[in-house]
């Protein structure tokens, strides 16, 4: 019997043993083949595979190298060699081996797939795209290549092509969960959150036990403003993987966004106990602690985050805000500068820097940076902090001449901001432009009365078509953005007592109802999302004010506060008028009249303070230390350039941060005693 025939018989027997699971016997026979033919590629390849299956990768690599030396075009040996090298972390050699494999067998799909993934993971996504695109043409029915091509195209920013490829993958394999996930991420990145939510829903139908898909859905729902639904979905993700800290963190972040600050703190603390080495978890906990009125604990949490990630721009930005809020202005500024240095394009940091510059009167830089609030909305990390931009046309106004032109102005934030910034509308009218102003529905009668030459309309949805609304405009602008061109310096603020008008008949009616004065209106809470708690106190905290004799107090607090008013009135033995017929959450016109009926208004920074200032009523506003988010009161001022009738009372570096308004309230109480001795000429 010839040697070659004998070798074939041994190989056949060895293969039968291997298929039957008699691997040791097969291995022995393959080795005996090598004694007869040391360059036998079949035996070398099988021995390499057996060694690899046993974790003996060095031995496996020796066999595959011998096989490829004997037959450089042996595609299977080259492929297996590449797999071994990839597993050993020898990426460059693995890439070369996969490339050799494809040269030997150009249609080797698995080699092409692995090569493309390795190239992408190594940072050469463009080369990976070339591989995947070639195999999409070569194997058009293989959904994997369409998926990988779409995934990589999305990473380089070619959203239309990526969407086409991902849909092609799903047409071929509708139950391709990873492709649904990639499509959801693509939709989210291109601001199509509803489609993103639908896409990840398909992934969940395919893999209903995959916690990752639920947490992605939770994040998308939160970014879409569906906060309650987001929390429910995050709870489901946590239920599927109860020991995984990641899902606890995401649940905590969802609770934080929804305003459930106490539970968020508990959940995030638990996430850190499970995995204390994640900087993001400490960062989120800091936000929850701050929201719960624990600024020093929040600072400690941010310190932990920065110990874990020293170049964490968001953490420095949050430290800047916290330091400002407790009155540590130098530390705040240093952290702000460090945040910008680390992440100069971060829209959250830029917007916050804009607020700081505006607070300090650096209007030129401040207004420009403050425009980043629109970019924040486009960045899913910060959507809840940002502002949705309007589509164009018409073009955004950039200070152009408005003679003979029409400008559409729309509001972007709450009623208080609407009142504050509307003082710039007369400037536009004086520029000979026609102004169309879209405002909150509750504010329409006030603005129509105050600005009779302006076309005042209730705000439609942000994506409403202007033609359908009967609006033709040359330019458009957010109400806040007008400041960049109309309030470039303190000197540009007009000297006037008021700019909004109330209903005189209603004022007389309310004044008569409340009886002899002097009447002092009080307001102590803000309902602003995220920062409302920093602007608020309890009614009982106003005791030094409420105990001043000789005045009649009227609650101007919006929201359900009747029980609090009754309780504090009884406890302090003072009368506080609570008029249930006035509900600013439904009827701002009557509320304006109620504020106008007062001889003096004492308030924290909220809508009441802005209304009082805009109609020119004497107003005392109490501000806590720093109050970094309230830039429009400006740094260290006791007056307001927006409102001539407003006085500002600030607590600077309060000795007890648990009572940040305490010193301020005492000062206001003393001032009120002096004020009450004067004759009020109405």
């Amino acid at each position: 019997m010839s040697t070659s025939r004998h070798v074939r018989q041994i190989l056949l027997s060895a293969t039968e043993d291997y298929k039957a699971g008699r691997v040791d016997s097969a291995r022995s026979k393959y080795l005996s083949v090598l004694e007869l033919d040391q360059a036998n590629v079949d035996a070398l390849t099988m021995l390499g595979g057996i060694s690899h299956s046993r974790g003996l990768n060095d031995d496996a690599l020796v066999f595959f190298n011998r096989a490829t030396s004997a037959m450089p075009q042996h595609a299977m040996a080259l492929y297996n060699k590449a797999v071994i090298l990839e597993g050993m972390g020898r990426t460059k050699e693995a890439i070369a081996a996969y490339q050799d494999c494809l040269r030997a067998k150009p249609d080797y799909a698995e080699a092409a797939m692995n090569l493309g993934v390795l190239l992408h993971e190594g940072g050469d996504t463009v080369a990976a795209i070339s591989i995947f695109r070639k195999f999409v043409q070569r194997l058009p029915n293989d959904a994997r290549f369409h998926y990988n091509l779409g995934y990589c195209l999305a990473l380089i920013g070619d959203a239309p092509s990526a969407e086409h490829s991902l849909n092609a993958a799903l047409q071929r394999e509708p139950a391709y969960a990873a492709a649904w996930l990639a499509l959801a991420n693509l939709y989210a990145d291109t601001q199509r959150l509803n489609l993103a939510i639908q896409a990840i829903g398909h992934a969940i139908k395919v893999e209903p036990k995959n916690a990752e898909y639920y947490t992605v859905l939770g994040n998308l729902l939160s970014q879409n403003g569906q906060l309650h639904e987001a929390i429910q979905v995050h709870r489901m993700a946590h239920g599927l993987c109860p020991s995984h800290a990641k899902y606890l963190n995401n649940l905590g972040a969802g609770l934080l966004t929804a305003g459930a600050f106490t539970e968020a703190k508990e959940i995030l603390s638990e996430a850190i106990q499970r995995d204390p080495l994640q900087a993001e978890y400490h960062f989120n906990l800091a936000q929850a602690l701050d929201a719960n009125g624990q600024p020093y604990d929040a600072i400690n949490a941010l310190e932990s985050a920065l110990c874990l990630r020293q170049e964490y721009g968001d953490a420095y930005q949050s430290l800047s805000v916290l330091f400002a809020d407790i009155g540590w202005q130098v530390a705040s500024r240093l952290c702000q500068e460090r945040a910008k240095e680390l992440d100069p394009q971060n829209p959250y940091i830029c917007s916050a820097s804009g607020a700081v510059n505006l607070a300090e009167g650096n209007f030129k830089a401040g207004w420009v940076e403050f425009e980043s609030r629109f970019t924040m909305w486009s960045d899913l990390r910060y959507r809840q902090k940002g502002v949705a931009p309007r589509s164009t046309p018409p073009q955004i106004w950039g200070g152009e001449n408005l003679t003979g032109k029409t400008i559409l102005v729309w509001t972007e934030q709450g009623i208080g901001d609407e009142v504050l910034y509307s003082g710039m509308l007369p400037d536009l009218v004086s520029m000979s432009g026609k102004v169309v102003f879209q405002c909150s529905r509750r504010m329409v009668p006030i603005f129509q009365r105050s600005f009779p030459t302006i076309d005042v309309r209730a705000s439609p949805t942000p994506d409403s078509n202007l033609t359908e609304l009967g609006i033709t405009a040359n330019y458009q602008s957010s109400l806040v953005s007008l400041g960049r061109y109309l309030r470039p310096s303190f000197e540009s603020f007009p000297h006037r007592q008021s700019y909004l008008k109330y209903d005189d008949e209603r004022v007389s009616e309310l004044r008569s109802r409340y009886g002899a004065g002097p009447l002092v209106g009080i307001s102590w809470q803000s309902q602003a999302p995220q920062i409302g708690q920093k602007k608020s106190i309890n009614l009982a905290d106003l005791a030094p004010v409420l105990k001043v004799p000789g005045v009649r107090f009227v609650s101007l607090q919006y929201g359900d506060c009747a029980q609090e008013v009754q309780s504090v009135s009884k406890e302090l033995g003072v009368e506080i008028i609570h008029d249930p017929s006035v509900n600013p959450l439904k009827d701002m016109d009557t509320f304006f009249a109620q504020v106008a009926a007062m001889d003096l208004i004492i308030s924290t920074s909220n809508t009441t303070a802005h209304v009082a200032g805009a109609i020119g009523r004497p107003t005392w506003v109490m501000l806590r230390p720093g109050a970094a988010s309230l830039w429009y009161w400006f740094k260290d001022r006791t007056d307001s350039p927006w409102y001539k009738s407003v006085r500002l009372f600030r607590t600077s570096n309060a000795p007890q941060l648990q009572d940040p308004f305490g010193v301020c309230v005492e000062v206001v109480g003393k001032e009120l005693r002096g004020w009450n001795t004067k004759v009020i000429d109405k």
Side-chain angles (χ1 to χ4, degrees):
M1 181 185 297
S2 67
T3 301
S4 59
R5 183 179 178 185
H6 182 47
V7 166
R8 286 196 298 273
Q9 288 181 339
I10 299 174
L11 282 172
L12 181 62
S13 177
T15 301
E16 290 175 352
D17 285 346
Y18 184 81
K19 290 179 179 179
R22 298 186 295 272
V23 179
D24 287 337
S25 175
R27 181 177 184 278
S28 178
K29 290 177 180 178
Y30 285 131
L31 288 172
S32 68
V33 167
L34 293 183
E35 292 177 359
L36 297 171
D37 180 5
Q38 61 181 352
N40 189 286
V41 174
D42 293 333
L44 289 167
T45 301
M46 291 304 298
L47 285 168
I50 292 171
S51 296
H52 176 51
S53 68
R54 293 178 171 180
L56 303 173
N57 288 331
D58 288 332
D59 291 345
L61 193 57
V62 169
F63 286 120
F64 288 132
N65 278 329
R66 288 175 61 184
T68 55
S69 294
M71 187 181 292
Q73 297 301 308
H74 195 294
M76 180 178 291
L78 288 166
Y79 174 79
N80 288 328
K81 174 183 175 180
V83 170
I84 296 294
L85 289 167
E86 182 180 349
M88 297 173 74
R90 294 161 64 174
T91 305
K92 290 183 179 180
E93 295 173 79
I95 289 173
Y98 281 128
Q99 290 170 333
D100 289 341
C101 176
L102 287 170
R103 277 189 284 269
K105 187 179 180 182
D107 61 349
Y108 204 142
E110 296 303 322
M113 184 67 64
N114 292 356
L115 174 59
V117 171
L118 266 187
L119 288 169
H120 159 63
E121 291 177 347
D124 196 350
T125 302
V126 173
I129 288 172
S130 177
I131 295 289
F132 295 137
R133 184 169 277 137
K134 182 183 299 183
F135 270 77
V136 160
Q137 296 171 351
R138 185 165 285 168
L139 301 172
N141 292 321
D142 192 326
R144 298 174 305 164
F145 286 105
H146 290 281
Y147 160 71
N148 279 288
L149 176 59
Y151 182 89
C152 289
L153 286 168
L155 290 177
I156 66 168
D158 188 353
S161 298
E163 184 175 350
H164 174 78
S165 293
L166 292 171
N167 279 318
L170 290 165
Q171 287 171 3
R172 289 156 177 80
E173 191 175 330
Y176 202 155
W180 282 117
L181 172 62
L183 191 59
N185 289 330
L186 177 66
Y187 285 144
D189 290 342
T190 52
Q191 314 306 321
R192 292 176 285 174
L193 284 179
N194 289 328
L195 288 175
I197 290 168
Q198 292 174 21
I200 198 64
H202 285 293
I204 289 172
K205 288 179 182 177
V206 175
E207 297 183 21
K209 300 296 184 182
N210 190 318
E212 181 65 22
Y213 295 162
Y214 284 96
T215 205
V216 170
L217 175 58
N219 291 337
L220 290 171
L221 288 168
S222 182
Q223 290 152 8
N224 203 38
Q226 298 171 255
L227 305 183
H228 178 70
E229 295 90 338
I231 291 171
Q232 290 181 315
V233 172
H234 281 309
R235 292 194 196 280
M236 295 172 70
H238 172 52
L240 288 168
C241 291
S243 62
H244 203 306
K246 172 182 177 178
Y247 302 118
L248 275 171
N249 172 70
N250 289 346
L251 171 58
L255 290 163
L256 187 60
T257 302
F261 302 131
T262 300
E263 187 181 0
K265 180 177 72 172
E266 295 169 355
I267 292 293
L268 290 165
S269 296
E270 185 179 347
I272 290 171
Q273 289 177 356
R274 300 275 179 87
D275 186 355
L277 300 181
Q278 299 300 319
E280 179 189 352
Y281 300 177
H282 293 275
F283 175 83
N284 287 337
L285 177 61
Q287 312 312 303
L289 289 165
D290 181 34
N292 277 284
Q294 299 172 251
Y296 286 116
D297 292 331
I299 290 170
N300 287 333
L302 290 171
E303 174 80 7
S304 298
L306 287 167
C307 286
L308 293 166
R309 191 192 303 174
Q310 294 182 9
E311 298 187 351
Y312 198 164
D314 280 2
Y316 275 107
Q317 179 55 53
S318 290
L319 268 179
S320 174
V321 173
L322 281 165
F323 285 146
D325 282 347
I326 62 175
W328 295 5
Q329 301 301 328
V330 174
S332 174
R333 190 45 130 166
L334 289 172
C335 287
Q336 173 76 69
E337 291 172 356
R338 180 59 174 154
K340 288 185 69 176
E341 178 185 338
L342 288 172
D343 200 353
Q345 302 304 315
N346 184 307
Y348 168 54
I349 294 172
C350 288
S351 180
S353 176
V356 170
N357 273 311
L358 288 169
E360 295 179 349
N362 301 323
F363 290 99
K364 184 175 181 180
W367 285 122
V368 172
E369 290 181 319
F370 202 51
E371 288 294 293
S372 297
R373 65 194 185 281
F374 295 112
T375 313
M376 268 200 290
W377 188 89
S378 301
D379 189 324
L380 295 182
R381 295 172 297 171
Y382 310 113
R383 170 155 293 190
Q384 294 302 317
K385 297 178 184 288
V387 176
R390 293 288 183 95
S391 60
T392 54
Q395 72 182 71
I396 302 299
W397 185 57
E400 292 89 349
N401 189 324
L402 290 176
T403 302
K405 305 294 184 181
T406 299
I407 181 169
L408 169 68
V409 180
W410 40 270
T411 60
E412 61 179 68
Q413 301 180 31
I415 293 285
D417 288 332
E418 202 166 288
V419 171
L420 171 70
Y421 299 112
S422 65
M424 293 185 284
L425 291 175
D427 297 57
L428 288 182
V429 174
S430 69
M431 297 168 71
S432 301
K434 178 183 177 183
V435 179
V436 180
F437 181 39
Q438 294 177 332
C439 64
S440 302
R441 188 169 299 277
R442 287 179 286 158
M443 288 295 296
V444 169
I446 293 100
F447 287 132
Q448 286 178 334
R449 181 188 304 117
S450 305
F451 307 130
T453 62
I454 292 178
D455 182 359
V456 179
R457 306 186 183 200
S459 292
T461 58
D463 57 353
S464 295
N465 184 285
L466 295 184
T467 303
E468 294 174 355
L469 296 171
I471 298 174
T472 302
N474 304 101
Y475 301 102
Q476 65 168 312
S477 176
S478 151
L479 179 61
V480 181
S481 296
L482 295 176
R484 182 175 179 182
Y485 307 102
L486 303 181
R487 298 293 180 266
S489 66
F490 284 121
E491 291 72 27
S492 61
F493 285 79
H495 298 283
R496 62 191 172 195
Q497 184 63 29
S498 63
Y499 55 87
L500 295 185
K501 297 180 180 180
Y502 44 82
D503 186 330
D504 288 312
E505 290 185 7
R506 292 191 189 186
V507 173
S508 298
E509 176 192 341
L510 292 169
R511 182 82 182 180
S512 176
R513 184 191 305 174
Y514 299 150
L519 296 177
V520 175
I522 53 173
S523 183
W524 56 94
Q525 292 279 333
S526 169
Q527 296 182 353
Q530 306 298 326
I531 64 170
Q533 79 283 355
K534 293 186 177 184
K535 305 196 290 179
S536 302
I537 57 176
N538 297 316
L539 177 57
D541 296 331
L542 284 175
V545 173
L546 297 172
K547 289 181 178 179
V548 173
V551 297
R552 305 194 72 195
F553 293 100
V554 180
S555 169
L556 304 179
Q557 182 58 51
Y558 44 93
D560 185 9
C561 63
Q563 186 173 353
E564 183 181 13
V565 169
Q566 183 179 7
S567 175
V568 172
S569 295
K570 183 178 180 180
E571 179 183 346
L572 299 180
V574 298
E575 180 188 10
I576 304 175
I577 299 171
H578 175 73
D579 188 345
S581 71
V582 182
N583 183 359
L585 298 179
K586 293 183 178 179
D587 177 10
M588 285 299 295
D589 209 5
T590 301
F591 180 64
F592 264 68
Q594 185 186 40
V595 175
M598 300 297 106
D599 297 305
L600 173 69
I601 293 91
I602 297 175
S603 180
T604 56
S605 176
N606 59 20
T607 298
T608 301
H610 292 298
V611 168
I615 63 176
R617 302 307 299 144
T619 308
W620 297 352
V621 180
M622 298 177 293
L623 301 174
R624 64 175 290 163
S629 20
L630 312 181
W631 69 264
Y632 38 77
W633 298 121
F634 300 107
K635 184 178 177 182
D636 299 331
R637 292 186 70 126
T638 58
D639 67 333
S640 168
W642 304 97
Y643 312 120
K644 189 176 180 180
S645 65
V646 166
R647 288 181 62 190
L648 305 177
F649 292 80
R650 300 177 182 271
T651 299
S652 179
N653 293 322
Q656 295 294 328
L657 199 65
Q658 300 305 321
D659 184 17
F661 284 100
V663 175
C664 191
V665 173
E666 291 284 351
V667 171
V668 171
K670 292 178 181 178
E671 284 285 316
L672 184 60
R673 290 179 187 273
W675 173 89
N676 189 35
T677 64
K678 301 175 182 178
V679 177
I680 302 173
D681 182 6
K682 291 201 58 157

